[in-house]
Amino acid sequence: MKEKTEAEVLKMRADSCYEQGNFPLAMTLYVKGMEVADGGNDYNTKLACIGNIANIFESIGDYESNLFYLLKGYRMLKGKGDVDMTNRYLANIVSAYCRLGDTKKARHYYGLVGRSGSGKNPTEHTYFMMYNLARIM
């Protein structure tokens, strides 16, 4: 069994805090996990920490910060070929732009989701395409 890296341990601790509603400590641990993952070239843990930081901001209604981290994660994913994760980030970006009232940008990112392919779960992809189109409308 592979031993967990420091970044993975920090992320796991942050996940636990997040689940318990302790957002300040979760945020601190996710940021630290992101920094440690970056230093250790741990792409997947860094990406997970970024996504969870975005989720915390979304949970507290700070949609500008939510969008900042979603775009950061999306930029990391561009060109990596991870269709499923790219689609998750894009769907959340569409949602964030809708919450901010910017339907023009929401439509732009919605179009990117449509062109990216359905990945491993076409049913989930179709669901989020329909859901986000409804949000834009």
Side-chain angles (χ1 to χ4, degrees):
M1 189 164 137
K2 180 185 158 218
E3 189 174 322
K4 301 278 185 211
T5 66
E6 181 185 357
E8 290 170 326
V9 170
L10 287 164
K11 184 200 166 293
M12 287 172 41
R13 287 182 50 212
D15 290 344
S16 178
C17 292
Y18 181 83
E19 290 167 9
Q20 295 170 15
N22 187 346
F23 295 154
L25 184 53
M27 179 70 78
T28 299
L29 293 168
Y30 282 132
V31 169
K32 182 68 175 162
M34 179 181 66
E35 292 169 349
V36 170
D38 191 38
N41 295 317
D42 185 348
Y43 173 82
N44 290 327
T45 303
K46 181 179 178 183
L47 194 58
C49 287
I50 290 170
N52 288 328
I53 291 168
N55 289 341
I56 289 173
F57 281 120
E58 192 267 338
S59 295
I60 62 173
D62 184 346
Y63 303 122
E64 290 87 5
S65 296
N66 168 247
L67 182 60
F68 173 84
Y69 279 94
L70 290 171
L71 291 170
K72 180 181 181 86
Y74 174 66
R75 284 190 299 272
M76 276 182 63
L77 283 160
K78 284 178 77 170
K80 300 287 187 194
D82 188 340
V83 174
D84 292 316
M85 188 61 73
T86 299
N87 283 342
R88 283 188 198 105
Y89 267 88
L90 285 170
N92 285 313
I93 289 168
V94 171
S95 175
Y97 274 122
C98 286
R99 284 190 178 97
L100 292 168
D102 191 340
T103 55
K104 183 177 179 181
K105 286 190 178 173
R107 285 180 190 276
H108 168 75
Y109 285 95
Y110 178 82
L112 295 176
V113 177
R115 290 190 295 275
S116 70
S118 62
K120 295 176 186 165
N121 191 337
T123 303
E124 181 180 285
H125 179 75
T126 300
Y127 168 81
F128 281 107
M129 289 294 295
M130 291 184 333
Y131 181 72
N132 277 330
L133 182 57
R135 293 183 100 158
I136 291 168
M137 294 299 161

